[in-house]
Amino acid sequence: MNELKHKKVLVCGATGFIGAAVSFYLHRHSMEVYGTVLKGEHNSTIKKFTTEIVECDLLSRDSCYELAAFIKIKEIEYIVFAVGLVNYKASFKQLYSSNILTLRNFLTELLANTDAINQVKKVVFLGSVAAYGFSKTSNVLITETVDLYESQKSNYCDIKRNAKEVIQVFIRSGIPGIIIEPGSLIGISPSKRETTNFSVIKKIIKGLPVLSGGVSYTPLYCVCKAVLQTLA
C-alpha cells in the first residue's frame, strides 16, 4: 500500500509470536519499523528488519513515559500493540501484570503526552486467541461439552476480556484505536518455528476432539495482512 510506504510504525512486543511476524511483514511492505523489547531479551532476529529497537518495560510507568516521548521524537504515526501472556495455566497475578497493567500503563502515558497522541493516526491492538474464549463466569457451552472443554475456562480468558474493556475505555478517551481479534493462530513466525497451537494441531492429526480458543483457526499471514490493511 503506497500510502504507508516509508511511514513509521512502532510494534510493541516485537519479539513475540505475532509481533515478530507483523514486524517482518510491515518491513517487507516498506514501512519503517521500530520495535519494543524487554531489557536483555533476545532480539537478533528482529534486528534484521527493524530500524531501531527500544528496550522498554511496560510494567514501569517511567518506562512508558519515556516510550511516549520516543514516539513523539521519532514522529511515529502508527502503533501495533502485541504485548501479552498467552497461558491458560498462569496465575491471575501473572496474567493481570502481563495483559492489563502493561496495556493500561502504555495507554495512560501515551494519552498524557499530547504531542505524541496528536501525531499518532492509528493504534492497532492484536487480541489474543482467547479473547472470545470461554469464561469461568458464563456458561456458553452445551451440557454435553462442559466436561470435555473445562480446561478452556480459565483466568486467561477472563483477563483477556478485561483487557478488551480497558482498550475500549481508552478509545473513548481519545486513543485512535481498533482491535483485531484473530482466531487460534496457525503459522510460522520469525520468533519461533512452530504454531502457537502446536499441541492442538497434534490432537487434530490424531483425531482427538479439540476446541479453538477463538472462533476459528486463522493463518498468521492473514493477521499480518489485516494489520497492514487496518493501518491504511
Side-chain angles (χ1 to χ4, degrees):
M1 298 184 179
N2 291 333
E3 62 266 34
L4 293 177
K5 192 173 182 179
H6 304 310
K7 294 294 185 180
K8 297 179 181 180
V9 57
L10 174 70
V11 179
C12 296
T15 56
F17 184 83
I18 301 179
V22 168
S23 297
F24 177 71
Y25 188 85
L26 297 181
H27 168 75
R28 287 288 300 271
H29 284 78
S30 301
M31 292 196 75
E32 191 174 321
V33 180
Y34 295 78
T36 71
V37 302
L38 289 170
K39 186 176 181 180
E41 192 171 29
H42 181 69
N43 55 51
S44 59
T45 301
I46 67 168
K47 279 184 177 179
K48 300 174 184 177
F49 43 85
T50 52
T51 300
E52 186 174 345
I53 292 174
V54 185
E55 289 189 345
C56 178
D57 180 6
L58 297 182
L59 288 175
S60 165
R61 287 286 294 271
D62 289 341
S63 187
C64 290
Y65 174 86
E66 293 172 359
L67 182 59
F70 176 86
I71 291 170
K72 171 60 177 68
I73 293 169
K74 294 295 181 178
E75 300 181 334
I76 292 170
E77 295 181 291
Y78 302 94
I79 300 171
V80 177
F81 194 89
V83 175
L85 174 64
V86 181
N87 191 326
Y88 284 92
K89 297 181 180 179
S91 69
F92 181 87
K93 183 177 181 180
Q94 287 176 305
L95 292 167
Y96 186 83
S97 294
S98 299
N99 296 303
I100 302 293
L101 287 183
T102 53
L103 179 65
R104 184 177 289 137
N105 286 347
F106 172 69
L107 293 180
T108 297
E109 295 302 330
L110 178 61
L111 197 59
N113 190 318
T114 306
D115 291 334
I117 194 62
N118 284 342
Q119 76 185 23
V120 172
K121 294 182 177 179
K122 194 166 292 183
V123 183
V124 175
F125 300 94
L126 288 170
S128 79
V129 296
Y132 286 139
F134 298 112
S135 168
K136 294 187 301 179
T137 56
S138 60
N139 182 16
V140 296
L141 300 175
I142 58 175
T143 304
E144 290 80 1
T145 63
V146 171
D147 291 337
L148 178 61
Y149 300 132
E150 185 66 29
S151 63
Q152 296 292 336
K153 297 170 150 187
S154 65
N155 285 328
Y156 175 68
C157 297
D158 290 328
I159 283 289
K160 290 308 293 183
R161 278 192 182 80
N162 292 341
K164 185 176 179 181
E165 292 171 358
V166 169
I167 293 171
Q168 291 171 335
V169 168
F170 276 95
I171 288 176
R172 290 194 292 269
S173 299
I175 295 290
I178 187 167
I179 303 172
I180 292 180
E181 296 283 10
S184 293
L185 297 175
I186 299 175
I188 296 175
S189 168
S191 67
K192 58 181 180 179
R193 307 292 295 179
E194 63 179 38
T195 68
T196 54
N197 289 280
F198 193 65
S199 61
V200 172
I201 305 306
K202 288 193 290 186
K203 289 181 181 179
I204 292 175
I205 294 174
K206 292 179 181 179
L208 298 175
V210 297
L211 179 66
S212 164
V215 294
S216 63
Y217 289 100
T218 306
L220 185 58
Y221 170 81
C222 291
V223 177
C224 295
K225 185 177 180 180
V227 170
L228 183 66
Q229 292 174 337
T230 303
L231 291 177

